[in-house]
Amino acid sequence: MMPSYFFAHGAPSLVLEEHAYTDLLKNFASHTTKPKAIVIFSAHWEEPVQTVSAVDLYSTIYDFGGFQDDLYRMTYPAPGDRSLSDQIQSLFTEHGIPSRLNEERGLDHGSWAVLKLVYPDADIPVVALSVNRYLTNEQQYEIGKALSELREQDVLIIGSGGTVHNLRSVNWRAEGVDEWAGAFDGWLQSKLEAWDTESLFKYRELAPHAQMAVPTSEHFIPLLIAMGAGDANRQATLLHRSYQYGNLSLSCWQFN
């Protein structure tokens, strides 16, 4: 069964950077089975109703400003998969999750910056999905769980976001890691590895420095969704964790 994954997408410039985390992303395909399709939830696509892309060929969205010129010349013209989009919508219906299709939206940097590092040829069909910060954490998990059977069809489910993502607190010149960021991620690791969903769903009340680490939830949600997709076996493995600018986390979790 294909594992599901959470990838931190960091800053948009991630796709141009060279360090241990980008090395992991670039080598990911050489250590895993090539998927038949990719389903990706991006923190940068928010909708009030769960939305499923249904396009033939993706355009590239440059949803950022002030970065290197090279970023605005990059494209990721991945094909869509309308039959998979329809199947996803059917699965949501079966699990009582309202959804709708979107036949126009391209891929934002939460999707294409990661996918360009992992599968640079853009030759694997992609279905992009939105997130909704106003659902409960239990509902986020259930969205991933509703799609878990796709893993048996060699479909790769990815959540793209960031466990510690507070742009007001980043220090562009920092070299070390802020203690509060490490404390939050340490708590998170212990709960993920124990598959302690009861605590995870209450992370805002229980985790140290949760408000600093997750001032708004849209970047944390993809982690819960990816975890939900791994509900059948409930095994979480941390593949990488590092930080940029003092507290912007770059982490990768695998859920089997």
Side-chain angles (χ1 to χ4, degrees):
M1 182 183 292
M2 181 78 67
S4 57
Y5 292 87
F6 171 80
F7 290 127
H9 59 245
S13 56
L14 179 74
V15 71
L16 297 176
E17 297 168 5
E18 294 185 8
H19 44 66
Y21 183 57
T22 57
D23 286 346
L24 178 141
L25 295 177
K26 291 174 183 177
N27 293 319
F28 179 86
S30 65
H31 299 297
T32 57
T33 302
K34 185 175 182 178
K36 293 181 179 178
I38 300 167
V39 170
I40 185 164
F41 291 83
S42 170
H44 290 275
W45 186 12
E46 294 190 70
E47 296 284 353
V49 175
Q50 180 62 63
T51 307
V52 183
S53 64
V55 303
D56 294 323
L57 188 68
Y58 284 97
S59 59
T60 304
I61 302 173
Y62 306 102
D63 52 334
F64 47 81
F67 287 89
Q68 302 95 318
D69 291 342
D70 287 349
L71 282 177
Y72 302 93
R73 291 190 286 267
M74 288 189 171
T75 60
Y76 195 78
D81 185 335
R82 181 58 187 257
S83 62
L84 179 57
S85 299
D86 291 339
Q87 182 183 3
I88 289 170
Q89 193 171 37
S90 294
L91 288 171
F92 284 148
T93 299
E94 289 175 17
H95 289 82
I97 299 169
S99 67
R100 62 190 180 195
L101 298 177
N102 181 301
E103 299 179 347
E104 299 178 353
R105 194 178 191 275
L107 294 176
D108 59 65
H109 83 270
S111 293
W112 69 259
V114 169
L115 294 178
K116 195 169 182 68
L117 289 168
V118 179
Y119 298 110
D121 294 332
D123 59 348
I124 302 173
V126 173
V127 176
L129 291 100
S130 66
V131 299
N132 179 359
R133 72 174 76 184
Y134 299 106
L135 299 178
T136 66
N137 292 324
E138 291 89 343
Q139 288 173 311
Q140 311 291 1
Y141 186 93
E142 289 299 319
I143 287 171
K145 187 176 178 180
L147 302 184
S148 60
E149 68 181 65
L150 296 178
R151 298 169 52 208
E152 300 175 5
Q153 302 167 30
D154 291 333
V155 173
L156 175 60
I157 299 175
I158 297 173
S160 174
T163 57
V164 180
H165 189 274
N166 186 337
L167 297 184
R168 292 187 176 183
S169 297
V170 298
N171 179 351
W172 299 104
R173 296 180 178 84
E175 295 182 1
V177 180
D178 291 340
E179 182 179 352
W180 61 266
F184 176 81
D185 264 343
W187 181 92
L188 183 62
Q189 179 177 351
S190 69
K191 303 308 177 186
L192 287 168
E193 290 177 342
W195 213 274
D196 182 358
T197 54
E198 183 177 354
S199 294
L200 284 167
F201 294 159
K202 298 177 182 177
Y203 75 91
R204 285 204 174 277
E205 294 80 30
L206 301 178
H209 311 290
Q211 188 57 45
M212 281 287 288
V214 190
T216 56
S217 62
E218 76 286 341
H219 276 76
F220 194 84
I221 289 167
L223 175 71
L224 296 175
I225 293 173
M227 185 187 188
D231 181 80
N233 296 324
R234 298 193 167 194
Q235 181 178 351
T237 304
L238 179 64
L239 301 183
H240 179 91
R241 182 167 67 224
S242 58
Y243 298 85
Q244 292 179 306
Y245 318 124
N247 53 65
L248 182 63
S249 64
L250 299 177
S251 57
C252 177
W253 282 92
Q254 175 180 300
F255 301 105
N256 290 94

